[in-house]
Each structure stands twice: as C-alpha cells, then as structure tokens.
C-alpha cells in the first residue's frame, strides 16, 4: 500500500476512503475500493497534471455553456474535491447530528450517495451530481487502471472480470473462439507471484 | 523579432502521416526539405516501449500522446445563433501531435472511397435529381477514382495493408467487398485472423443476404517489408492500439513505414517542438516566402522556402490558412469565401449485444481487426424510394477490452455498489458491439472560421467550429440503424441495446477523429480552396494536404484517401510543378 497523502488532508482522506468503499464495496467478488487503494489513487491524480488541469484550456472568459459544449467551469479537479468534500462534510454534520461521511453507517452512506447522484442533495454553490460523477469516474479509473497507479491492488479488479492486463500478445488464442483465456493478469510492474519466494 | 534561417527548397508544416510521405517523395527529387513539427520526436523503442506502453490510464484516459488543449484547441457551437465556447478538453475528436501525428495512435482502418464518392454531386444529381440535394452543399472533388487508383495502391503497399480485394480489374473477388472500385491488384497482405465476435457478426450478416468482408487493416497480418525496404512485424492483437503507439512495429505509421529511410537522407531535416505560427506571404499576397515558427525555447524563427506544404492535419491546415490570410474565409450568410467551407464529420451510431452463453475475450483485439458490411454505404444501394442520400459502413471491429473504458452492462444496472460489481463481472466477457460509420454531407451552415473571443497561448484567435448533423444525415443514420437492428436480431443475443444518432452534435463523448473539409479541393476557385492537385488557388506555391481537402465525408475512415492524396499531390509537384512552378490549373 502507498502511504502518506500528497493532496488530501487527513479528514478529507478519511471521508474519501469511506466513499470509495461504498462505490466499490468489499464483497465476495473483490476487495473494496478502500483496500484496493482508490482513494490513494485519486490523491496522486490530484497532485499531478490531471488535478490542476495544466493540460487543458483554462483561459477565460468562463461562460455557462450548452451540454454539447462540455465542462466550462473554472475549477480544476483538485479544487472541486477540496470544496466538494468540505461541502459534504458541512451538509452531513448539520443533517446527521454532527457526523461526517466516515461516521455514518453503511446504509446511511449509501442513501446519501444515492441522493447525491440523483441531484437531491443541496450543496449550495456546488453541483452535487457533477461532484458525484467526478468521484465515481476517478474511483473507477483507479480500480481498473494498472496497479502501478495505486488503486487496483493485486490486480483485484482484473482478476474479478478476467482481464489479462499487459500481456500484449494473444496470437496463440485468437483462433480459440469462445474458449476461456487460460492465464491470469500481468501488470506493467509484473506479477506479485514473481516476487514471492518458495 | 524572428531570426532568419538559410533558405530551403521546401518547408513542410507537420511531420505526421502526410508530412512524412511528402518529405520522402520530394527528397527523392533531390529537393532540400525541412519539416517543422510542433510536438516531440517519437520512435517505437523509446516512446512506445513494450515495458510500459500497455497503460490504459496514461494513454487512453489521460491521452498522453495527443495534442493538449493548453497548446491549441477550438471553440464549438452547433449553430450560428449560439455563442461558441472553447473545448476545454478534447472529447469528440482527438488531434495528434508529435512526429507521426495522429498516425501514431490511430486504429488503422484503411479504406478507399467509392468511385461515386469522388463525383458525388454529378452522380447523385444524375441518379436522383437536383432537388434531393437541395439542403446540402455537396460537391465534386475534381479528381476521379481512376486517377486516384495508383495513389491508393502506393499507400496500401507502403503500409502493408491486410485485407481481401473485392474487385480486381472489374472482376468481383469472392470474400472481398463486392462494391469497391476496381483495383489493379490485391492488398499486400492477407486479412488478419478473425476473433470470435466479428466471425459471428459475419455469419449473421450473410444469413440476411449481406456481403461481409474483413476490414482492411493497417495492423499487419504478417511480417512485411515495404517498398522502401522497411521491415514490420506481425500484429499480436494486444488490444492497446487506438490511442497507443504500437510496440511491435505492426501498425503502419510514419515511424514504421517512412522515417527509418527519410531520417538518413542528407537533404532532409526534422525540427521538433517547433510550432509554425503562419505562412509568410510576399507583398502581393500571392506568393509564400516561407514560415515563421516558435521553437521549444520560445524563440521565433523565420524559415524561408520556395514552397510551403501544409501537412498539419485538416483542421490545423484550415486554421493556418486563416491566420496566414491565404484565401478568403467562408461566410455562411453569403456563401462566399472558401477557407473553412464544407466542414464535415462522421455520422456514427451503435448497438451493443449481451449474451449468456458466449465468451468473446474482448481483450484479444486490434485497432482494425473485424468485419464490415458495406451494402448500405455511399450509393451502393438504391436511394430512389428513400428520403436521404449517403449511407454507412456497418463495422464489427471490437478494438479492445481495456476495463476503464470497456465495461458493458445492460441498461438499468446501477453505476456502483455490489449490484454494479456483479453485473460488470457477469457481462465483461459476454458482450460485444458493432457500429455504423456514416457519411457526413456538407451543409451551408457547417463551417470553420476564427473565434472572435478566445485566444491561443500566443494571443491569436482559436478556430471556431460550427457544426450539427444535417437532417439528411440523421435520416440516413436512423435508416441504417434499422438495418443494424436486423443483424442484431439475427445474432440472437439475450438483449441488444441501440445507441442511435440524434441531434445535436456533442463535443464531449468520443466519436471519431475524422474531421474533413475546410480547405476543399475542386474545379472552381469560387467553391474550393485548392485545385485538384491540392494547390492553393490563391497562393500557388502552397499545397494543402489532408482531409481538409474532402468536399464532404464518406461513410469510411479518411486516412486511406488522405494517404493517397499525399502521393497524388507529390506526383503533381514532382512531375509538373517543379518543371514549371506556377498554377497547375488555370482558374
Ligand atoms: C484515435 C484516432 C483513431 C483514428 N483511427 C483511424 C482509422 O482507423 N482509420 C483512419 O483512416 N483514420 C483514423 N484516424 C485519423 C488519422 O490518424 C488521420 O487521418 C491521419 O493521421 C491524418 O494525417 P495528417 O498527416 O493529415 O495529420 P497527422 O498525422 O495528425 O499529422 C499532422 C502533424 O502536424 C503537426 N502540426 C499541426 N499544426 C502544426 C503547426 N502549427 N506547426 C507544426 N506542426 C504542426 C501535428 O503535431 C501533427 O504531428 C484516427 C485518428 C485518431 C486520433
Ligand atoms: S493491436 Fe496490433 S497493431 Fe495495434 S498496437 Fe497492438 S500489436 Fe500493434
């Protein structure tokens, strides 16, 4: 597991870990988003060129656009997480007897996330549904990306669905129509089996 | 102030697919050529390295190899009554950057257009009457398929295209596309070995009386040595093709087909990380003197040259012409002006199928490995009783099973939680899709010009794109979607889900990087920016090469035709222009 947070403050990290663990709950199919490292993944993304939108066109004027014109806000993903997690915290502390997201029961957490997804939570200036979509998108990126990014520990998601990862050569299987692929996944960083002794 | 460099015979703007071909051809004639490329130098061993190339997050999601909007973007709107806003991130299409251009990370579907695509206006008018085209701004190309045949052949042999001919010298070949124009010989390589999904698709299509055939691919079915003596490897169906460079030297690109020879020539030079700002014209505005560019250190240079070739990708060709004041910018109100005219795109739709009892191994895939049905493309079928012109190829080409992007679940599945997880696991191996790639016919209100508000990093106007799907194209797409539904039913899935094409064009979800028009070719300087040899009508020592030249787009990927146009223009320069520099066609 990666340790230490690059972008999130301890309270933010705790809330985000709790969120990703409901989006991808631990069950008999796989470990949960928290253990897989999805929050740590998002943390690293926020600290880089994705988080600060440095590759995007960020010049003004900023105007409200049509849906076909895409995101027109001036906030970067990092700014949206910072403000969004704070708004969620303030909202919940008020509505849920001073408890933040991490302090809710799993059932309460799910209910809140469903409401957020359905645009039923009023977070003031923040568009709760757009925030939910951003977090969901980044969580899935982490869970399904190569484990080198920290969010797909032990290739948990790849094992779950049967994606062989970075193998790069399927010539021996192309003609084997409808037959299961016989090998497990490999990451860019190799396979955990390779470093296990004995 | 820009510092002036020693003169060259030819300066090429952009070292992508077309730039590399033109550079090779013109250096063969002994010309001193420099290519100026705004992105970095890239090569297989260093930049598409097998140790790290299969990284979905980096290349497919964060799009590491592509043009970043911070460097250049466009503004967009659907109609002239709206205010265009910048594409702050690219979505619907993804322009390339760096040596090799978009050819580095394309899929490799490599098509010829139909003979009737080239004289489209005359052909459709004759067959259906002029009234049928009233809402459209369809034009002839000024060049015929027969004139283009050998140029197509040269591009296909340069690339090692893997496919099956359908028509050799007007003899229909079993197993190929029976509708294609006649070719002199078969493809250089046989088709790729088929995966399961396209095999089932082809069986279903055949059961309906249709004519499926292997999609011609620039993913090589076998090892190959091209006419320049450059060796390529067999595609391993790695499933990291579109948006990625190929680590196996198996995908045709400037890197794998031209550069190893070009870079050794003493009369060629590539200057990377150098962005051309504009073409410099003389006082009359009728001759180019060279270009001005900014290098990686932010320094400005003037590169004088006798000829300027714009090979910057269609959209950027159009913008460079506008910024350089070559030709007059199109005005949709008056219909006057030619630069920016007839911008067109691609009219796509899809269908996804879910099965209970099949395993498609979606990760065993390549960018262009699949089957196509062309029975409803272009004018291969009679439109007399229909209310549209044009058509679409129906393509079953599953390109990958990369799980950030490919996680099919039936509609109604939650997007998170345990139920989501179970559906994701249950369907990952058991679903596939196919899609229609439809023609995009020019309309008066679809065009490119300069944005009045938004500027690039040098303070110059961004290009503004005004586009929506014409009603004709929407009707076409729905009709083809009905045909796709018939194929979907014949496949007997548990469930199928259609994604039909409707207005308005949305710049966010990826559709295709097949932007055409803006500097179109033709026989009349009032309605085209370049003549049939891709020479500017206004500044005859400037040639503009790319899909910018298409008067409208066909229901096929553009690059087979773009590559052929590169050879076609190179021949015109080598065989005609160099002997007698000046307009090759009198206006
Ligand atoms: C994801 C993707 C998939 C695709 N799949 C297919 C496919 O399957 N089949 C198909 O037919 N086509 C496909 N295409 C399209 C194909 O890549 C292009 O048609 C082809 O690369 C066009 O060649 P070009 O030379 O015009 O442009 P490019 O190959 O893009 O080269 C243009 C070069 O010019 C440079 N340039 C631009 N402006 C400047 C400037 N001002 N100064 C200096 N340099 C500049 C760019 O950096 C670039 O390197 C795909 C494209 C993408 C992005
Ligand atoms: S699918 Fe084939 S051509 Fe494409 S990147 Fe992989 S090996 Fe190369």
């Amino acid at each position: 597991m990666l340790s230490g947070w690059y972008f999130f403050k301890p309270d933010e990290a705790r809330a985000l870990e709790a969120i990703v663990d409901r989006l991808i709950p631990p069950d008999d199919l796989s470990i949960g988003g928290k253990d897989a490292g999805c929050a740590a993944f998002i943390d690293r993304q926020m600290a880089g060129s994705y988080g600060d939108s440095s590759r995007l066109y960020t010049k003004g004027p900023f105007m409200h656009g049509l849906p076909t014109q895409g995101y027109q806000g001036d906030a970067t993903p990092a700014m949206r997480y910072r403000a969004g997690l704070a708004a969620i915290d303030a909202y919940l502390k008020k509505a849920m007897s001073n408890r933040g997201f991490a302090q809710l029961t799993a059932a309460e957490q799910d209910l809140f996330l469903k409401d957020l997804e359905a645009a039923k939570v009023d977070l003031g200036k923040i568009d709760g549904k757009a925030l939910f979509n951003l977090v969901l998108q980044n969580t899935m990126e982490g869970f399904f990306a190569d484990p080198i990014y920290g969010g797909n520990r032990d290739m948990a998601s790849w094992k779950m669905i049967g994606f062989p990862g970075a193998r790069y050569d399927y010539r021996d299987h192309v003609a084997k129509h409808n037959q299961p692929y016989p090998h497990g996944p490999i990451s860019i960083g190799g396979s955990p089996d390779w470093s296990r002794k004995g | 102030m820009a510092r002036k460099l020693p003169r060259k015979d030819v300066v090429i703007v952009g070292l992508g697919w077309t730039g590399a071909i033109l550079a090779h051809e013109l250096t063969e004639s002994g010309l001193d050529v420099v290519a100026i490329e705004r992105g970095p130098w890239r090569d297989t061993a260093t930049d598409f390295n097998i140790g790290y190339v299969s990284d979905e997050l980096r290349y497919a999601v964060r799009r590491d190899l592509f043009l970043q909007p911070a460097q250049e973007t466009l503004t967009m709107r659907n109609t002239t009554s709206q205010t265009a806003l910048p594409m702050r991130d690219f979505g619907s299409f993804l322009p390339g950057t760096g040596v090799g251009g978009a050819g580095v990370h394309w899929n490799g579907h490599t098509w010829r257009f139909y003979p009737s695509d080239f004289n489209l206006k005359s052909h459709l008018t004759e067959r259906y009457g002029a009234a049928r085209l009233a809402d459209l701004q369809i034009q002839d190309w000024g060049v015929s398929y027969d004139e283009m045949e050998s140029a197509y052949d040269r591009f296909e042999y340069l690339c090692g295209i893997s496919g099956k001919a359908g028509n050799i010298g007007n003899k229909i070949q079993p197993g190929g596309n029976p509708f294609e124009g006649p070719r002199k010989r078969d493809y250089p390589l046989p088709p790729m070995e088929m995966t399961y999904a396209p095999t089932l698709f082809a069986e279903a299509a055949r059961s309906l009386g249709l004519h499926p055939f292997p999609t011609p691919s620039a993913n090589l079915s076998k090892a190959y040595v091209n006419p320049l003596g450059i060796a390529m490897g067999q595609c391993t169906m790695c499933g990291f093709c579109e948006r990625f460079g190929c680590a196996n030297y198996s995908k045709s690109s400037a890197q794998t087909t031209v550069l190893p020879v070009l870079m050794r020539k003493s009369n060629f030079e590539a200057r990377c990380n150098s962005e051309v700002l504009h073409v410099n014209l003389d006082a009359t505005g009728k001759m180019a003197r060279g270009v001005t560019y900014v290098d990686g250190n932010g320094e400005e240079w003037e590169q004088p040259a006798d000829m300027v070739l714009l090979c910057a990708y269609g959209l950027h060709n159009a913008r460079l012409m506008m910024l350089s004041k070559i030709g007059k910018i199109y005005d949709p109100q008056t219909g006057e002006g030619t630069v920016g005219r007839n911008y067109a795109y691609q009219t796509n739709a899809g269908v996804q199928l879910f099965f209970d009892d099949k395993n498609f191994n979606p990760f065993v895939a390549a960018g262009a490995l699949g089957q196509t049905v062309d029975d409803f493309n272009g004018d291969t079928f009679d439109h007399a009783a229909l209310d549209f012109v044009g058509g679409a190829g129906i393509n079953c080409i599953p390109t990958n099973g990369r799980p950030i992007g490919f996680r099919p679940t039936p509609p109604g599945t939650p997007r998170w939680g345990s139920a989501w997880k179970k559906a994701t696991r249950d369907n990952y191996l058991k679903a596939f899709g196919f899609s229609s790639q439809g023609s995009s016919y020019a309309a008066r209100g679809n065009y490119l010009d300069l944005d009045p508000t938004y500027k690039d990093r040098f303070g110059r106007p961004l290009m503004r794109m005004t586009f929506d799907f014409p009603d004709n194209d929407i009707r076409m797409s729905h009709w083809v979607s009905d045909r796709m539904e018939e194929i979907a039913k014949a496949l007997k899935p548990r469930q199928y889900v259609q994604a039909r094409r409707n207005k308005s064009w949305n710049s966010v979800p990826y559709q295709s990087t097949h932007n055409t028009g803006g500097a179109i070719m033709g026989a009349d300087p009032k309605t085209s920016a370049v003549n049939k040899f891709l020479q500017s009508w206004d500044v005859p020592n400037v040639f503009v090469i790319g899909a910018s030249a298409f008067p409208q787009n066909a229901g096929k990927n553009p690059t087979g035709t773009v590559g052929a146009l590169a050879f076609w223009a190179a021949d015109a320069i080598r065989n005609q222009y160099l002997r007698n520099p000046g307009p090759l066609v009198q206006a």
Side-chain angles (χ1 to χ4, degrees), chain A residues 99-170:
Chain A
R99 288 177 302 153
F101 189 87
Q103 284 82 48
L104 304 183
T105 66
E108 288 170 334
Q109 289 175 332
D110 284 357
L111 201 63
F112 173 76
L113 289 173
K114 271 193 193 123
D115 285 347
L116 193 64
E117 180 181 24
K120 287 187 195 152
V121 178
D122 181 3
L123 293 181
K125 270 193 229 129
I126 290 167
D127 178 344
K129 185 178 171 186
L131 176 67
F132 177 89
N133 285 335
L134 179 71
V135 178
L136 181 67
Q137 175 201 326
N138 296 150
T139 303
M140 294 301 170
E141 285 169 359
F143 191 54
F144 289 101
D146 193 282
I148 58 168
Y149 292 100
N152 181 12
R153 186 159 65 87
D154 291 341
M155 302 181 274
S157 72
W158 295 357
K159 286 175 185 157
M160 173 178 89
I161 59 175
F163 175 61
R167 288 200 170 267
Y168 217 75
D169 188 350
Y170 296 110

Side-chain angles (χ1 to χ4, degrees), chain A residues 25 30 57 61 68 141 149 168, chain B residues 55 62 236 421 454-455 507:
Chain A
S30 79
Y57 184 81
T68 59
E141 285 169 359
Y149 292 100
Y168 217 75
Chain B
D55 183 340
R62 300 285 181 256
T236 60
K421 210 195 270 186
Y454 291 94
K455 308 276 189 266
S507 68

Side-chain angles (χ1 to χ4, degrees), chain B residues 118-119 140-145 147-148 521 532 565 568:
Chain B
F118 287 96
N119 62 342
D140 290 351
W141 291 53
V143 68
S144 70
Y145 172 83
E147 286 175 291
M148 294 287 292
M521 59 198 292
K532 68 182 284 193
L565 284 175
W568 168 253

